[in-house]
């Protein structure tokens, strides 16, 4: 698919995904948001709560550090416990250190005051932000995310992650949203492959995908046309339906 | 967590994940299987149906090509359509080419004979296997996966992926399964962080994780102890419960 939209990657940080305990959902949510707001998501990585792995991935993915993509979004590892090392690792990748941010501290203090609890050293850990970063606010938790370079660091708890995405994405400069049309056929992929190849060749500016599925032992295929120009997408879908006699 | 189990990565190939159309589930399934069969899953990557991206990822992840992990499992892109380029890309990464495999062709021919359909050129595309690879059989689809170097290539359709995992994993030499115990507490992470840090320091051979959640606006935390020695895991969980007065 031809696109001059900003490119993006997502880095998910968390042993709980790699152990199979948790099925990842934050990247799926953000993928939908990014496609709808004009960002071209090219890669997702999941790494463990390991400093070296996180530093290497941030450097490989963030273009401000010589990495591949215009934007990098991370999920997970910014809580108050010993295994929450994302802030330190992202700071290291960006060649800076972590300090308690007065702004983040104020957010946490206000929340603690409202709840009538003490801002303990463990709670204060969540105000540790890389020097030079700006905060990502959210409506659910007082603990903020942060942006540094082209890296945007968000929480792993799904409700907090989504609240941070809601806050952050409108503040970034996206391109054109992806338009897509799909049709379901009760044929196997092999029986639509030839027509699909022809139409894909005739519309090189678009992406034509075929996604096989099984329903009660019968094979079917979802055909999806994607692109930035809605009229072209509609034209290609029309041509595809005609070619496959749908 | 101390482990001398073989290390592993999963590479998911598919625009449908990056577009947000499909929520990834194959890696989640395989993560559970790997942890239960003595493999140490360290990384998951999702890339698009793009030759350069797949080649680069296979080279980075497969130790037989100088990459990081003992084993690499892939999901997706081995069907009969124009966007199914995994076999070609994996062959290129391993410095070989793709040919119609007589064994794979025989599997497809037998299936076509049973179904009374013709083995068309499009169906035959699914017998294109890198030279030097061995086949991965499955009970659902006639189209096989394959293994080359330390890379094991499987289908993206979940039922077929799982059938290939069922066939493949018992044929690989795993280590010791991960043992884990977990407990749910109705406290936020900040309130258990100190005790958790102490117990983690006392059991450096284990992994102690804390996973916050929200339930009707109340914060809770799942505490998980993981390791290869069940007795040590039980000992650590006992110490953790005592420390947190559970």
């Amino acid at each position: 698919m031809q696109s001059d939209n900003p490119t993006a990657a997502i880095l998910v940080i968390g042993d709980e995904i790699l152990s199979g305990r948790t099925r990842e959902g934050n990247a799926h949510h953000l993928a939908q948001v990014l496609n709808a707001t004009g960002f071209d998501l090219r890669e997702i990585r999941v790494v463990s709560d390991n400093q070296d792995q996180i530093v290497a991935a941030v450097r490989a993915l963030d273009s401000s550090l010589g990495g591949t993509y215009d934007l990098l979004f991370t999920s997970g590892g910014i809580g108050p416990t010993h295994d929450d090392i994302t802030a330190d690792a992202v700071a290291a990748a960006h060649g800076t250190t972590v300090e308690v941010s007065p702004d983040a501290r104020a957010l946490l203090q206000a929340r603690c005051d409202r709840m009538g609890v003490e801002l303990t050293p463990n709670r204060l850990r969540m105000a540790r932000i890389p020097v030079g970063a700006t905060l990502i606010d959210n409506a659910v938790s007082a603990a903020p995310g942060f942006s540094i370079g082209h890296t945007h660091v968000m929480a792993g708890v799904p409700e907090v992650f989504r609240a941070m995405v809601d806050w952050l994405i409108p503040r970034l400069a996206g391109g054109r949203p992806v338009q897509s049309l799909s049709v379901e056929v009760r044929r196997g992929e092999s029986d639509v492959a030839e027509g699909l190849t022809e139409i894909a060749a005739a519309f090189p500016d678009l992406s034509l995908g075929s996604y096989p599925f099984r329903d009660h032992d019968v094979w079917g295929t979802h055909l999806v046309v994607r692109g930035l120009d809605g009229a072209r997408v509609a034209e290609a879908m029309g041509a595809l339906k005609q070619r496959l006699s749908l």
Side-chain angles (χ1 to χ4, degrees), chain A:
Chain A
M1 186 175 80
Q2 283 170 9
S3 166
D4 52 5
N5 285 346
T7 60
I10 300 173
L11 176 63
V12 178
I13 296 154
D15 289 344
E16 70 275 25
I17 311 296
L18 297 172
S19 74
R21 183 183 172 278
T22 302
R23 182 176 176 185
E24 213 292 313
N26 288 345
H28 176 55
H29 171 72
L30 183 53
Q32 294 176 319
V33 172
L34 291 174
N35 277 271
T37 51
F39 298 91
D40 186 8
L41 178 62
R42 297 269 183 90
E43 182 169 343
I44 300 167
R45 287 195 196 183
V46 184
V47 299
S48 63
D49 303 312
N50 174 286
Q51 167 103 4
D52 293 344
Q53 262 199 303
I54 301 169
V55 170
V58 170
R59 288 186 177 151
L61 299 173
D62 179 334
S63 61
S64 76
L65 299 172
T68 307
Y69 305 106
D70 295 328
L71 294 148
L72 171 62
F73 302 92
T74 81
S75 160
I78 61 169
T81 63
H82 68 288
D83 55 348
D84 290 308
I85 61 171
T86 297
D88 296 274
V90 169
H94 283 273
T96 186
T97 55
V98 166
E99 287 181 0
V100 170
S101 147
D103 290 346
R105 184 192 182 112
L107 287 171
L108 289 165
Q109 185 69 60
R111 173 65 60 102
C112 285
D113 290 348
R114 275 201 302 283
M115 295 174 66
V117 298
E118 196 189 340
L119 181 53
T120 60
N122 282 316
R123 292 203 173 93
L124 195 57
R125 254 183 73 84
M126 292 187 284
R128 296 174 67 253
I129 306 287
V131 174
T134 56
L135 301 188
I136 297 175
D137 207 350
N138 81 91
V140 176
S141 151
F146 59 84
S147 300
I148 183 168
H150 299 160
T151 305
H152 303 278
V153 173
M154 295 181 282
V157 178
E159 287 167 289
V160 182
F161 180 82
R162 286 172 181 239
M164 289 182 176
V165 167
D166 290 346
W167 187 92
L168 176 66
I169 297 296
R171 289 171 168 79
L172 301 174
R176 287 191 289 168
V178 173
Q179 312 290 327
S180 75
L181 288 172
S182 66
V183 63
E184 180 183 314
V185 296
R186 293 277 153 175
R187 304 180 205 165
E189 264 195 309
S190 302
D191 296 330
V192 298
E194 203 173 308
L196 199 63
T197 303
E198 283 174 26
I199 304 301
F203 293 84
D205 50 322
L206 306 180
S207 161
L208 271 74
S210 65
Y211 308 111
F213 63 90
R214 274 169 67 88
D215 182 14
H216 296 88
D217 289 341
V218 176
W219 286 94
T221 306
H222 288 113
L223 301 172
V224 181
V225 181
R226 302 170 70 248
L228 298 186
D229 181 337
R232 283 285 285 172
V233 170
E235 191 185 343
M237 181 52 86
L240 185 62
K241 284 182 173 174
Q242 188 168 40
R243 174 64 181 78
L244 298 176
S245 308
L246 300 178

